[in-house]
């Protein structure tokens, strides 16, 4: 199936000529795949799945309700044809595609016993790594932009999961009954600091997913490694081995991918991945970043009320108090417009029959005169506005 997908690249060659953003021929590639995906799934998914779903239908249209979810995750795995980009959300979609097939029993046909993770390792090394190779060819062929990249302050422009799987490959081996190791490395494993050595990266990139991802970075970026990949460079200095790195990567994936609205807003939910809260799930601790975007209420302070990595300008954008009895939507603090006096949270009693405008204005206004917009909304000025 992956070879069929990759072969479509030859049918939609990129348009010639220099361009800053993605090549528009990627849309043609996407359209071809969209027209063939239903046939691909009917051809390559195990027949046991179709039998479990009620058998193959004579017409493809009749299968729409059976494989719509699987097809949706599969088509979401190859980047956006509108934005001409690819990122961790698309990578997550392919993981969900494999997860769908996993939950439906597609990978256990004819297998007696698991052999302590044999099937799982085969999925990662035999399916996910080949998928990444196809994606990397798409990125290079059509010059796909990073989707939602944090620039040099992101782990990687396009991928995240190969760093989880790759560090797991190099972590101390365990049995099914053992907990995940938090430190240590497999015997004869390369050191984490070796990722900054191009020769060592080339030596291991064909056998380890972590080094394969680093190798792709070296293929597309030039200059000192610490300069274009500072996060990965910092991680390479960890002394406790690949177990420590693997644990950190999983925590970072939860925080930077699964907990990011710009990523999850594109993730579809259905019968296989439900939009339901797991009652047995561990309570997720709200990060400073998420807390800083909550509603400005008594129980959920507005931006800048927390500590840690809150943006330095968060205090300047703090909204005034909420009027009594007026609810606020999640993440959208209620405020009156226009503001009733700087620092005032509610209007005072009227004097002389007219409404009170709050405390007297200051004696000087560095930007604008009393009563102007720059004065009324000075509470929301950024710290550099002066």
């Amino acid at each position: 199936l992956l070879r069929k997908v990759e072969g479509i690249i030859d049918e939609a060659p990129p348009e010639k000529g220099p361009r800053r953003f993605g090549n528009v021929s990627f849309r043609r590639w996407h359209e071809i795949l969209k027209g063939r995906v239903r046939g691909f799934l009917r051809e390559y998914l195990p027949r046991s799945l179709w039998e479990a779903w009620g058998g193959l239908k004579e017409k493809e249209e009749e299968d729409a309700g059976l494989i719509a979810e699987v097809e949706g995750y599969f088509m979401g795995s190859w980047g956006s044809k509108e934005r001409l980009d690819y990122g961790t959300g698309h990578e997550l979609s392919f993981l969900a595609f494999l997860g769908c097939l996993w939950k439906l029993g597609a990978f256990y046909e004819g297998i007696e016993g698991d052999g302590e993770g044999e099937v799982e390792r085969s999925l990662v090394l035999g399916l996910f790594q080949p998928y990444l190779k196809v994606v990397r060819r798409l990125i290079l062929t059509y010059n796909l932009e990073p989707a939602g990249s944090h620039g040099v302050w992101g782990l990687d422009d396009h991928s995240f999961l190969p760093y989880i799987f790759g560090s797991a490959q190099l972590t101390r081996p365990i049995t099914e009954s053992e907990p995940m190791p938090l430190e240590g490395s497999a015997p004869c494993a390369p050191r984490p600091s070796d990722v900054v050595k191009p020769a060592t990266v080339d030596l291991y990139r064909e056998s380890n997913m972590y080094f394969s991802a680093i190798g792709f970075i070296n293929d597309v970026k030039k200059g000192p490694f610490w300069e274009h990949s500072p996060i990965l460079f910092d991680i390479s200095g960890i002394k406790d081995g690949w177990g420590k790195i693997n644990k950190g990567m999983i925590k970072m994936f939860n925080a930077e991918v699964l907990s990011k609205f710009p990523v999850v807003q594109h993730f579809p939910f259905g019968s296989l991945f439900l939009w339901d809260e797991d009652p047995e799930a561990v309570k997720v601790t709200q990060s400073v970043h998420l807390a800083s975007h909550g509603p400005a209420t008594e129980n959920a302070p507005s931006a800048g009320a927390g500590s840690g990595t809150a943006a330095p300008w968060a205090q300047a954008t703090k909204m005034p108090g909420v009027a009594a009895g007026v609810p606020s939507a999640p993440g959208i603090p209620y405020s009156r417009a226009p503001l009733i006096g700087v620092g005032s949270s509610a209007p005072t009693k009227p004097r002389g029959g007219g409404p009170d405008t709050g405390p007297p204005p200051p004696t000087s206004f560095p930007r604008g005169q009393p009563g102007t917009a720059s004065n009324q909304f000075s509470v929301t000025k950024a710290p550099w506005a002066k």
Side-chain angles (χ1 to χ4, degrees):
L1 174 60
L2 292 174
R3 284 195 293 268
K4 288 278 189 177
V5 171
E6 184 177 11
I8 299 177
I9 297 177
D10 298 327
E11 302 180 41
E15 290 190 1
K16 297 181 179 179
R19 60 187 69 248
R20 168 63 180 86
F21 299 103
N23 196 293
V24 293
S25 291
F26 179 65
R27 292 171 180 159
R28 170 63 178 159
W29 179 91
H30 220 280
E31 289 296 330
I32 296 175
L33 177 60
K34 178 64 177 178
R36 300 178 185 177
V37 61
R38 188 64 57 86
F40 284 168
L41 296 179
R42 288 169 60 91
E43 179 180 358
Y44 291 109
L45 292 187
R47 294 190 63 85
S48 59
L49 288 187
W50 300 104
E51 293 170 1
W53 286 339
L56 284 168
K57 304 298 187 297
E58 293 183 1
K59 298 181 180 180
E60 290 188 12
E61 292 77 8
E62 298 178 9
D63 288 325
L66 301 177
I67 64 173
E69 291 182 44
V70 175
E71 178 185 341
Y73 291 123
F74 185 76
M75 285 303 302
S77 306
W78 309 104
S80 170
K81 68 175 182 178
E82 291 81 14
R83 299 184 302 273
L84 302 177
D85 63 9
Y86 174 90
T88 52
H90 305 109
E91 181 186 64
L92 176 64
S93 189
F94 187 77
L95 184 69
F97 168 71
L98 295 182
C100 288
L101 302 184
W102 168 272
K103 297 181 74 171
L104 294 168
F107 303 114
Y108 280 90
E109 186 173 354
I111 296 178
E112 296 182 3
D114 185 5
E116 291 195 347
E118 181 179 348
V119 173
E120 290 91 337
R121 286 192 294 271
S122 297
L123 288 178
V124 172
L125 301 177
L127 288 179
F128 204 88
Q129 176 62 15
Y131 157 75
L132 291 174
K133 289 185 176 181
V134 177
V135 164
R136 288 164 186 166
R137 185 180 172 190
L138 287 173
I139 293 172
L140 294 177
T141 301
Y142 299 111
N143 192 29
L144 299 184
E145 293 287 305
S149 172
H150 295 291
V152 297
W153 299 116
L155 184 71
D156 187 290
D157 279 344
H158 301 97
S159 296
F160 201 114
L161 289 172
Y163 297 99
I164 296 178
F165 294 140
S167 57
Q169 283 181 270
L170 300 173
T171 301
R172 176 177 61 82
I174 60 173
T175 63
E176 287 288 333
S177 59
E178 288 184 274
M180 183 179 69
L182 304 182
E183 58 183 19
S185 301
C188 303
R191 294 186 297 270
S193 59
D194 288 338
V195 301
V196 303
K197 304 173 183 177
T200 306
V201 171
D202 291 339
L203 181 64
Y204 286 98
R205 67 184 299 177
E206 294 301 323
S207 59
N208 178 262
M209 295 179 68
Y210 196 104
F211 281 83
S212 178
I214 298 291
F216 183 68
I217 292 178
N218 293 340
D219 293 340
V220 298
K221 293 186 177 181
K222 306 302 178 184
F225 187 80
W226 60 266
E227 189 173 70
H228 60 64
S229 302
I231 303 300
L232 287 169
F233 179 78
D234 289 345
I235 294 172
S236 70
I238 291 177
K239 304 296 183 182
D240 294 332
W242 291 102
K244 181 82 169 182
I245 293 176
N246 184 248
K247 177 188 176 183
M249 287 293 178
I250 293 174
K251 292 177 64 177
M252 186 183 291
F253 183 75
N254 286 333
E256 298 300 324
V257 179
L258 298 181
S259 296
K260 293 297 186 183
F261 178 76
V263 175
V264 182
Q265 68 175 333
H266 298 296
F267 189 92
F269 294 89
S271 63
L272 293 170
F273 288 95
L274 303 176
W275 181 254
D276 290 332
E277 184 175 354
D278 184 355
E280 300 180 0
V282 178
K283 185 70 175 178
V284 178
T285 303
Q286 192 177 37
S287 67
V288 173
H289 173 78
L290 294 177
S292 68
H293 286 73
T297 63
E298 204 172 328
N299 297 324
S302 63
S307 58
T309 57
W313 55 85
Q315 283 285 6
T317 58
K318 188 173 181 180
M319 301 297 290
V322 180
V326 181
S328 61
I332 307 177
Y334 172 83
S335 65
R336 294 173 304 278
L339 301 182
I340 307 178
V342 177
S344 174
S345 60
T348 57
K349 294 180 180 181
R351 287 184 304 213
D356 181 26
T357 58
T363 56
S364 63
F365 295 87
R367 294 179 65 87
Q369 298 300 319
T372 63
S374 63
N375 173 34
Q376 291 181 350
F377 293 93
S378 60
V379 68
T380 59
K381 281 182 181 178
W384 57 84
K386 296 179 181 180

